[in-house]
Amino acid sequence: MRILHLLKSNKYSGAENVVLTIMDVCSDMDMVYASPDGSIREVVESRGHEFYPLNRPTIREVKKAIRELHPDVIHAHDFTMASTAAWAAGDIPVVAHLHNNPPWLKKICPRSVVFAFALSRIRQVISVSKAVEDEYIFRGLMKNKNTVIGNIVDAEAVRQKAQEKSDCKPVDLVYLGRMLLPKNPLEFCKIVCEVKRLFPNITARMIGDGELMTQVKEYICSHELEDIIELVGFQSNPYPYLNAGKIMVMPSTWEGFGLAAVEGMCLGKPVVCSGVGGLNDIVDSTCGAKCSSMEEYAHAIIELLQDDVRYTSAAANAVLRSKRYVDMKKYADEIRKTYEVATER
């Protein structure tokens, strides 16, 4: 079976990581990664997978890819590419893989309506958490098509990569994610600023890049945090930088699954987060904290930093809870089953 994975981004991030994991665990299947060309090509090809460049993520370009690649199933990632694939695929089965639950899902708007029409042409839906379907205003259209398959982490690979040589220094708090609104990097800076008021020696690191980087730098400068928050930008291997931190902080405004949280937990990092989307199921009070205010973030972080018994317990429980998301064979079987159902319908 030949599978065509469609993505709209040309950079490596969470969804792209998930697709490459699928291609790794389903290595017995013929899979092609298609997206606009960019830095992602090097990552895909370094993992030993075939990359097909799209000039643009449009219906016309997807039709061209279909003519040249002859896929049996199109696995389209996120709402935009799922809608695009629905109108480009013809009779080829389309599987929509929804990696997040953006706020517009909850209301009638152009994007929610476009996806509603596309669902009539989509055979199967994979959502990374129950929250995706629950929050969609036209959720009835997903009924009997949607399967919740939480993301998976190759824990052993993460731990091995975390041991690679690096010159990063130990810090207290770590942010790992794109500098984009959903990940809420400015809130991370504000949390550090609040913790600093009560815990003057706090240190932090932000791993990632994106359109909010300029605003992040301006906030750090205006609040005299240059010696406290280290910006390391995008890292092809972020795990040594993550592993050198004590606590992972994820103040996301929305989060389909929360893959980075599981990666941090694999490394024994307690996670202090907003609890939105999939984070609600991943994190609990035994391995970190779910917070809804600046005061709660500061309290949870300072407690972990000052109470060695609490920190040791949370770190151990983080590793234990992460094991729910590391069964590679089960994940591969669930993906294959979705393809089979899509082709049978």
Side-chain angles (χ1 to χ4, degrees), residues 250-311:
M250 295 184 65
S252 309
T253 54
W254 74 84
E255 192 82 54
F257 179 72
L259 187 65
V262 179
E263 292 174 332
M265 289 161 63
C266 285
L267 296 174
K269 308 303 170 185
V271 177
V272 177
C273 67
S274 59
V276 299
L279 290 173
N280 186 53
D281 296 322
I282 294 171
V283 179
D284 69 4
S285 59
T286 68
C287 65
K290 290 181 280 195
C291 307
S292 57
S293 69
M294 195 64 63
E295 292 74 18
E296 289 181 6
Y297 276 108
H299 174 77
I301 289 167
I302 291 172
E303 180 185 43
L304 285 165
L305 290 175
Q306 292 184 329
D307 187 336
D308 290 342
V309 173
R310 162 70 174 140
Y311 181 86

Side-chain angles (χ1 to χ4, degrees), residues 49-123:
H49 301 301
E50 181 180 352
F51 179 83
Y52 180 93
L54 300 173
N55 287 328
R56 291 182 298 168
T58 62
I59 293 174
R60 181 176 180 177
E61 279 291 302
V62 171
K63 284 184 175 180
K64 178 174 177 284
I66 290 169
R67 287 195 302 270
E68 295 182 7
L69 297 171
H70 308 290
D72 299 302
V73 174
I74 297 173
H75 191 155
H77 297 268
D78 277 331
F79 299 92
T80 300
M81 292 313 291
S83 299
T84 301
W87 301 106
D91 294 331
I92 300 172
V94 174
V95 174
H97 199 146
L98 309 179
H99 297 270
N100 56 43
N101 52 337
W104 57 260
L105 270 184
K106 303 175 184 179
K107 58 187 179 182
I108 297 175
C109 65
R111 284 180 287 187
S112 64
V113 171
V114 166
F115 186 66
F117 280 110
L119 276 169
S120 65
R121 292 170 171 260
I122 290 170
R123 301 276 187 94

Side-chain angles (χ1 to χ4, degrees), residues 179 186 189 206 209 212-226 231 233:
M179 299 290 186
L186 282 171
C189 296
M206 300 184 78
D209 203 350
L212 293 181
M213 178 62 91
T214 299
Q215 291 174 251
V216 167
K217 288 180 177 178
E218 289 174 352
Y219 185 93
I220 290 173
C221 182
S222 64
H223 289 77
E224 299 180 346
L225 299 172
E226 297 97 325
L231 299 175

Side-chain angles (χ1 to χ4, degrees), residues 167-171 173 175 179 188 203-207 220 225-233 241:
D167 59 358
C168 53
K169 61 185 179 182
V171 294
L173 310 180
Y175 168 100
M179 299 290 186
F188 176 83
T203 55
R205 171 178 296 123
M206 300 184 78
I207 311 163
I220 290 173
L225 299 172
E226 297 97 325
D227 295 332
I228 292 174
I229 300 179
E230 177 191 20
L231 299 175
V232 298
Y241 297 85

Side-chain angles (χ1 to χ4, degrees), residues 7 12 20 33 35 67 74 76 83 173 186 199 211 222 240 249 266 282 296 313 316 324:
L7 298 93
Y12 180 72
L20 289 172
Y33 187 113
S35 77
R67 287 195 302 270
I74 297 173
S83 299
L173 310 180
L186 282 171
F199 197 85
E211 61 190 35
S222 64
V249 182
C266 285
I282 294 171
E296 289 181 6
S313 173
R324 299 186 299 169

